[in-house]
DNA sequence: TTTAGTACGTTATAATGTATCAATTGTGCT
DNA sequence: AGCACAATTGATACATTATAACGTACTAAA
């Protein structure tokens, strides 16, 4: 993410927080910025380390968790269940728009590609889904594999 | 799972282990049996507790992890990433047959419904999937939600 | 100015998972 | 039977991930 988009995204993120009647504090901004400028998901502890390295200040891991759950609650951050790590999105991304997301996670370089999936696609995908009367609340799917770049390198 | 199916499944499980040149030890059998006779997923620590309760013997958590990864490697057990818990299947299940599975996990009763999904269904589901050149190694998807029974109860 | 809510600090603890090395068990071989 | 070997397990320590509980500071509204 380039500098201009980053600034724009951070500004929009602030708006989002204010719309929720919440604050966009320095720590929240820093954590979000770290996630936005890193191309791999980070754990809460990795975020705390990064924070120290980048800002000459520091933040407790406890606070990182609180900040992450706040950012998740306003849809600026997602947690990857298969990695126990966190990832952020621009406010123009499908993720932010609350659509269902498909995360393609590369086992080699750890990078994550994000695709949008519609409700109807999910229904198509799982033909027997409706039969069992299950009401889904899932907003994301995760797939592990190898990205195109790493495939090329490995070939 | 009734007693007869349980016995049959455990016998087949033994065959599976032998075919892999591995043993079906007492501990592995007990752990598998606990998982097969429980209708909710269990964590490694819960399994160690159950083991103690059921067998008057005990097993270290370390061993439980080893046993679980062994059972996973021969496709008798699956780990649910969204819960950090484990679940077992009969050797007649789609899971065991190494198809792609969709796990529907109920937030209220914790029960898991398992559906089989074909590769082509996955391809249909994610239309842009091929575009990015990602090679998937994923054999399962997980959805959180509310099962039909719990919906009825809550209504 | 009191009060309520939000945010963060601090400490402790729970829950989950891995590394390492020694001891044991079982199996095949002689 | 006795031995060698690999697989399995025990035991301990440690690492990682996450939540609980409680206190303090700040802000904004009543």
């Amino acid at each position: 993410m380039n500098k201009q988009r980053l600034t724009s995204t951070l500004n929009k993120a602030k708006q989002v927080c204010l719309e929720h009647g919440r604050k966009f504090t320095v720590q929240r901004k820093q954590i979000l910025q770290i996630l936005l400028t890193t191309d791999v998901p980070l754990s809460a502890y990795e975020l705390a380390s990064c924070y120290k390295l980048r800002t000459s200040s520091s933040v407790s891991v406890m606070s990182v968790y609180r900040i992450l759950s706040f950012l998740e609650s306003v849809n600026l951050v997602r947690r990857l269940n298969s990695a126990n790590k966190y990832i952020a999105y621009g406010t123009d991304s499908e993720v932010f728009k609350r659509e269902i997301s498909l995360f393609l996670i590369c086992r080699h370089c750890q990078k994550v590609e994000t695709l949008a999936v519609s409700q109807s696609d999910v229904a198509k995908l799982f033909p027997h889904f409706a039969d069992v009367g299950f009401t889904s609340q899932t907003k994301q799917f995760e797939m592990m594999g190898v990205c195109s770049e790493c495939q090329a390198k490995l070939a």
Side-chain angles (χ1 to χ4, degrees), chain A residues 40-74:
Chain A
V40 297
L42 297 176
S43 75
Y45 282 75
E46 289 165 342
L47 278 165
S49 303
C50 271
Y51 194 102
K52 197 171 279 182
L53 287 173
R54 291 204 192 182
T55 66
S56 79
S57 170
S58 78
V59 63
S60 74
V61 175
M62 185 69 253
S63 288
V64 173
Y65 276 108
R66 281 188 289 224
I67 289 165
L68 287 171
S69 42
F70 165 70
L71 292 174
E72 262 195 285
S73 76
V74 296

Side-chain angles (χ1 to χ4, degrees), chain A residues 94-108:
Chain A
E94 308 294 345
V95 174
F96 180 72
K97 290 175 195 152
R98 298 167 178 277
E99 304 202 11
I100 296 171
S101 304
L102 171 64
F103 298 127
L104 308 179
I105 306 163
C106 180
R107 281 216 153 83
H108 291 272

Side-chain angles (χ1 to χ4, degrees), chain A residues 1-11 32-33 36-37:
Chain A
M1 182 176 280
N2 64 40
K3 195 164 181 180
Q4 193 178 344
R5 264 199 71 208
L6 175 62
T7 307
S8 146
T9 297
L10 289 175
N11 283 333
L32 185 59
Q33 181 165 344
L36 286 168
T37 53

Side-chain angles (χ1 to χ4, degrees), chain A residues 84-98:
Chain A
N84 297 329
K85 290 179 194 296
Y86 301 81
I87 191 166
Y89 296 93
T91 46
D92 55 345
S93 88
E94 308 294 345
V95 174
F96 180 72
K97 290 175 195 152
R98 298 167 178 277

